[in-house]
C-alpha cells in the first residue's frame, strides 16, 4: 500500500530508524504475529516500541484481532508488557464465532481528530456497521469471557499445552521450536541439527517442511478429531488454538495426538512416503474425495 513501509518484527533499531524522520502517522503491530507462525517478539519489545512511537509523535496501533480477548492468557496480549495502545483493533473472536464484527478502540481525542468534523464524521460508514445482531453477540461474548474467567483458563491450559508439547517433542529431529503464549501455540517444523538428512540435505528438508509437513500434520490431526492449521505465511508452523473453554483432559488429548502424529515422522523419508502414497490414491480416484 502506498505510503506504508514494513519494519522487521521485533527489531527496535529498525523501528527507531523508520520513525526518525518523524513522518509516520502510525505504527501497526501484532503483539504476537499469528499468520506468520505465532512469532513472539523479544521481551520488552512492545513497551519500547510504544516509547519510540511516543517520542516520534507516531500513533502506536495494536492489532489484537488474533491475540485479543483471552487468547494469550490475558484479556489483551499487550497487558503482558504493561504498555497501552493509542488504537486497538479487535475482530474475529469478538463475535463469539457466530457473528461478523470488528472494532477499533481509541481515545476520545484521537477519534475526534479523525472523525470529529462535519466533512469527516461518516468516513467509515458501511451498510452493516453497528449491526444489532453482531453487537449483541459481541456483548454476550464479553460477558461470558468475564463471567467464566476464560482468560485465566487460557493461561492455565496454555501453560499445560506448551509444557506438554515441549516435553513430548523434545529432541524430535524435525521440531525446531514450540512457542506461544496462553492458548496461542505454534510448532515450527523443519531441519534441526540432529539427523543425517538435516545436516546434509538441509535445504531439501526445509523445502519439504515448508511445502507439505505442516499441512500433512494438520490433516493427520483432523483424522484424530482435532482441528488445527498451518500458519498461512509459514506453512511449516502448525498452529494450535483450542477454544478458551478447553478442559485439562482435552489438552492431554491434544498433546498425545500431536506427539503420536509427529512421532511417525522423525525424518522426511516416511513423510514423503505417506504423502506420495495418499496423492497416488487420490490420483487413482480421479482426485475425488
Ligand atoms: C492479525 C489480523 N488482523 C486483521 C485480520 C483481518 O480480520 P478480519 O477478516 O476480521 O477483518 C486478520 C485476519 O486473519 C488477522 O489475522
Amino acid at each position: 500500500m502506498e505510503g506504508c513501509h514494513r519494519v522487521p518484527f521485533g527489531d527496535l533499531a529498525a523501528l527507531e530508524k523508520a520513525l526518525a524522520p518523524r513522518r509516520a502517522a502510525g505504527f501497526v503491530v501484532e503483539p504476537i504475529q499469528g499468520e506468520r507462525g505465532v512469532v513472539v517478539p523479544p521481551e520488552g519489545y512492545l513497551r519500547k516500541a510504544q516509547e519510540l512511537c511516543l517520542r516520534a509523535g507516531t500513533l502506536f496501533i495494536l492489532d489484537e484481532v488474533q491475540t485479543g480477548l483471552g487468547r494469550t492468557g490475558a484479556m489483551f496480549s499487550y497487558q503482558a508488557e504493561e504498555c497501552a495502545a493509542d488504537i486497538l483493533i479487535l475482530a474475529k473472536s469478538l463475535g463469539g464465532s457466530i457473528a461478523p464484527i470488528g472494532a477499533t478502540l481509541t481515545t476520545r481525542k484521537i477519534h475526534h481528530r479523525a472523525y470529529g468534523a462535519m466533512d469527516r464524521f461518516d468516513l467509515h460508514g458501511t451498510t452493516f456497521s453497528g449491526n444489532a445482531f453482531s453487537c449483541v453477540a459481541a456483548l454476550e461474548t464479553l460477558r461470558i469471557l468475564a463471567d467464566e474467567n476464560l482468560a485465566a483458563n487460557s493461561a492455565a491450559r496454555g501453560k499445560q499445552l506448551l509444557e506438554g508439547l515441549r516435553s513430548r517433542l523434545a529432541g524430535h529431529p524435525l521440531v525446531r521450536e514450540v512457542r506461544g503464549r496462553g492458548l496461542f501455540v505454534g510448532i515450527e517444523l523443519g531441519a534441526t541439527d540432529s539427523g543425517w538428512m538435516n545436516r546434509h540435505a538441509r535445504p531439501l528438508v526445509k523445502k519439504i517442511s515448508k511445502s507439505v509437513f505442516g499441512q500433512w500434520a494438520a490433516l493427520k490431526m483432523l483424522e484424530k478429531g482435532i482441528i488445527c492449521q498451518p500458519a498461512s505465511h509459514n506453512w511449516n508452523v502448525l498452529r494450535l488454538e483450542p477454544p478458551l473453554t478447553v478442559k485439562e483432559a482435552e489438552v492431554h488429548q491434544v498433546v498425545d495426538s500431536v506427539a503420536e502424529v509427529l512421532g511417525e515422522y522423525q525424518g522426511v523419508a516416511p513423510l514423503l512416503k505417506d504423502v506420495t502414497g495418499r496423492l497416488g490414491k487420490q490420483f487413482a480416484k480421479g482426485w475425488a474425495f
Side-chain angles (χ1 to χ4, degrees), residues 93-251:
S93 56
L94 182 60
S97 306
I98 56 163
I101 185 166
T104 305
L105 282 61
T106 190
T107 60
R108 208 170 279 281
K109 193 171 158 203
I110 293 170
H111 184 269
H112 189 75
R113 281 192 68 181
Y115 302 110
M118 278 309 279
D119 57 339
R120 281 179 282 134
F121 79 99
D122 68 344
L123 266 185
H124 282 182
T126 71
T127 309
F128 291 112
S129 59
N131 179 272
F133 171 70
S134 293
C135 290
V136 168
L139 288 171
E140 191 60 8
T141 301
L142 294 175
R143 188 191 64 73
I144 293 169
L145 275 169
D147 284 1
E148 299 186 15
N149 207 1
L150 293 183
N153 191 56
S154 168
R157 298 286 67 83
K159 187 167 181 286
Q160 180 196 348
L161 181 61
L162 258 185
E163 286 174 357
L165 289 170
R166 280 181 179 150
S167 128
R168 295 288 293 276
L169 298 175
H172 190 297
L174 289 179
V175 173
R176 288 171 57 80
E177 193 180 15
V178 179
R179 58 179 178 248
R181 195 186 300 150
L183 288 170
F184 198 44
V185 170
I187 304 170
E188 185 175 325
L189 305 167
T192 60
D193 291 330
S194 70
W196 190 91
M197 280 288 277
N198 284 339
R199 285 196 301 274
H200 295 95
R202 212 173 178 80
L204 178 71
V205 174
K206 198 172 163 186
K207 196 161 182 191
I208 293 169
S209 305
K210 283 238 174 228
S211 50
V212 291
F213 199 7
Q215 296 196 74
W216 183 255
L219 178 71
K220 299 290 277 184
M221 290 291 288
L222 189 61
E223 286 173 354
K224 288 181 178 292
I226 295 165
I227 299 172
C228 57
Q229 256 194 338
S232 65
H233 295 299
N234 267 327
W235 287 2
N236 61 319
V237 179
L238 191 64
R239 286 191 306 170
L240 296 169
E241 300 179 33
L244 304 192
T245 50
V246 74
K247 306 261 187 311
E248 189 174 348
E250 292 165 334
V251 172

Side-chain angles (χ1 to χ4, degrees), residues 35 37 68 75 120 259 282:
E35 297 306 322
M75 194 60 171
R120 281 179 282 134
Q282 291 288 140

Side-chain angles (χ1 to χ4, degrees), residues 276-287:
T276 49
R278 175 73 68 97
L279 286 176
K281 277 190 203 146
Q282 291 288 140
F283 178 70
K285 285 201 287 182
W287 299 113

Side-chain angles (χ1 to χ4, degrees), residues 3-118:
C4 291
H5 304 278
R6 289 178 193 211
V7 184
F9 186 60
D11 186 339
L12 285 165
L15 178 61
E16 191 165 16
K17 199 167 158 211
L19 296 179
R22 299 178 63 85
R23 300 270 311 140
F27 169 58
V28 187
V29 66
E30 283 180 274
I32 297 174
Q33 288 185 321
E35 297 306 322
R36 216 182 125 219
V38 192
V39 183
V40 184
E43 214 184 313
Y45 172 67
L46 288 184
R47 197 168 1 94
K48 288 184 191 134
Q50 187 198 1
E51 280 167 26
L52 291 177
C53 287
L54 201 62
R55 250 188 273 157
T58 297
L59 294 177
F60 182 59
I61 305 169
L62 283 181
D63 179 339
E64 292 239 25
V65 165
Q66 291 214 20
T67 55
L69 304 181
R71 175 54 53 195
T72 65
M75 194 60 171
F76 301 106
S77 200
Y78 71 77
Q79 290 168 307
E81 290 208 15
E82 292 170 3
C83 63
D86 295 304
I87 299 176
L88 182 77
I89 307 160
L90 298 175
K92 294 195 196 293
S93 56
L94 182 60
S97 306
I98 56 163
I101 185 166
T104 305
L105 282 61
T106 190
T107 60
R108 208 170 279 281
K109 193 171 158 203
I110 293 170
H111 184 269
H112 189 75
R113 281 192 68 181
Y115 302 110
M118 278 309 279

